[in-house]
Each structure stands twice: as C-alpha cells, then as structure tokens.
Amino acid sequence: MEPDTLAVIQLTGWLAALGAALYAVSDVLLLAHHVGPRGPAPDAEPEQLEPFSVSPFSAGDLIKLGALPASRVAWGGLLGVLSTPLLLAGAWAMYQALRPAGLWQALVPAVLLAVALILAPFVHGSFIYIELNAGVLARLPADSRQLFGPVFRLQQRVMAAAYAVIVVATLLAAVGYSFVVALSGTSLPRWMAAVNPVTITVLWLVIRKLLPRSIANYFEGAGFNIGFLVFFLLLAITVRGS
C-alpha cells in the first residue's frame, strides 16, 4: 500500500469517527430524556396512548419523548443527518483496509455498511417528527386522537421498517468484516476481527449497566454510534501499509 493511500485511509477513519461522535451527541439530544432541557410533561396517561404506539416505542416512551423541547429535538435530528457524509467515509476506509484480501471480500462488507449508513439519516430525521407528533397526540382531546392516531402509527411503522433494514445490513457487514479479517490477509491485525460496530456496541451496553445511573443517563440511545466511534478509531489507528 502506498504511503499516500495509507494516509487517506487513516484520515477517512478519523473523519468517520468524528461523524459517529456527532451522531452519538445527536442520539443523546433525541433520546436521553433524563438529562438536558425538558419541557412540561403532557397530562396524558400511558394507557391513553397505548393504542397508538408501535414497537420499538412504548406509550411511556412517547410521553417522555413528547415532553422534549422542539428546538432540542430539531437540533438532535439535524446534527445526525448532517454528519452522515463523515460517517459514510468509514465504508470506504473499511473497503480499503480489507482490499488486500480480494475484491469481493472487501466489497461486500463495505457495501452492506454503506447501505446501513445511507439509510440512517431517514430514520434519524424521522425521530424529529415522531417525537414532536407524540407531544401533540398526548395533548389532544380523545376524539381528536382517534383522527390523528392512525397516521401517527403509520409513521412509526415506516420508521421501524427502515430501522430493521439498517440493523440487518449493519449486522451482516460486521460479520462479513470479521470473517475476512480473521481468515484472510488484510491491512489490519488479526485481533481486529473481534472489533466491529456490533461487538463494541454489545460491550458498551454491558459497561453502561455497570455505570452509576447519573452517568449512564448521559449516554442513553447512543450505543450504536459509540460502537461505530470506537470501531473507526481503532481502524484508523491499526491499519498498516503492506
């Protein structure tokens, strides 16, 4: 690998790590309802919103998230969406790091990761409308909820469907990446086969459970992007020339 190419891979890895860090901050703005600015909670009880909640949202989630200030929600969504080009640079860095193993061994995991990252802004931006509409729904009289409720359920189902594709694509990309690093010659050390966005996310979730609640609350919702942050940092640090 040419020194210039190695430098570009390292740079794109650092840029992707920066994008993941910004995404993690935006996750906290959108989802960490225990910390930061909050508005008055709606008067609605969870059972009143239960008919209008769709997994992964519960009625309790909708009430808590619907209490977040509109400006906080908007900035949280926008910060992640606008950071996507930085994060997407990581798919190219992964491809180049795996390239010595062969074209397809590098291309398949990188394309799967790119698919997940390209779809991510749709889901991330959708949180703006889900949360703001949850606040509206919780404050509507019962008869008006029946009018708006079906539209709100559809919004959640659409977002959940896109999110499922992102999770599957990320999981397949992570597994493919780890197999290639473990079994083929790449520009990464073999131990990096154990380090991918999914394994780091799982490890972080375990660590977060051990943290005091007052600290853990500041990272609520950011697990996936903390996984990406650590992964791209380690990729940039450990990638080597041939």
Side-chain angles (χ1 to χ4, degrees):
M1 184 186 297
E2 295 295 327
D4 287 349
T5 303
L6 177 60
V8 174
I9 296 173
Q10 292 170 330
L11 176 61
T12 52
W14 286 108
L15 289 175
L18 173 60
L22 293 172
Y23 247 101
V25 172
S26 70
D27 286 335
V28 171
L29 289 172
L30 284 171
L31 299 171
H33 55 84
H34 293 293
V35 297
R38 284 168 286 181
D43 293 330
E45 298 297 327
E47 54 267 23
Q48 294 175 291
L49 296 193
E50 191 64 44
F52 311 112
S53 65
V54 175
S55 182
F57 297 102
S58 68
D61 292 334
L62 294 177
I63 290 177
K64 292 172 186 174
L65 296 176
L68 297 179
S71 58
R72 169 178 167 168
V73 172
W75 278 111
L78 280 174
L79 181 60
V81 170
L82 296 177
S83 301
T84 301
L86 294 174
L87 196 56
L88 191 56
W92 186 88
M94 177 196 278
Y95 169 78
Q96 292 296 336
L98 300 181
R99 187 66 181 85
L103 175 63
W104 290 104
Q105 290 93 325
L107 190 62
V108 172
V111 168
L112 285 168
L113 181 61
V115 168
L117 297 176
I118 289 168
L119 294 177
F122 171 79
V123 172
H124 201 78
S126 294
F127 271 98
I128 300 173
Y129 310 107
I130 296 294
E131 294 185 24
L132 294 181
N133 287 341
V136 171
L137 186 71
R139 293 173 173 86
L140 285 175
D143 53 345
S144 298
R145 281 194 198 120
Q146 297 303 322
L147 256 157
F148 182 55
V151 175
F152 185 57
R153 283 178 56 85
L154 178 60
Q155 290 174 337
Q156 294 172 80
R157 285 197 296 268
V158 169
M159 193 190 81
Y163 188 70
V165 175
I166 291 172
V167 171
V168 171
T170 301
L171 180 60
L172 292 176
V175 171
Y177 154 86
S178 290
F179 268 104
V180 172
V181 175
L183 302 177
S184 306
T186 69
S187 296
L188 296 168
R190 296 278 185 188
W191 61 265
M192 276 291 287
V195 178
N196 65 53
V198 176
T199 58
I200 296 299
T201 299
V202 172
L203 177 61
W204 163 249
L205 292 177
V206 173
I207 293 172
R208 185 172 178 264
K209 284 192 174 294
L210 301 176
L211 293 174
R213 175 63 64 181
S214 59
I215 297 174
N217 285 341
Y218 281 90
F219 300 95
E220 187 173 357
F224 230 146
N225 285 302
I226 289 174
F228 276 116
L229 168 61
V230 175
F231 171 68
F232 286 127
L233 278 177
L234 288 176
L235 188 150
I237 293 168
T238 62
V239 68
R240 61 203 174 190
S242 55

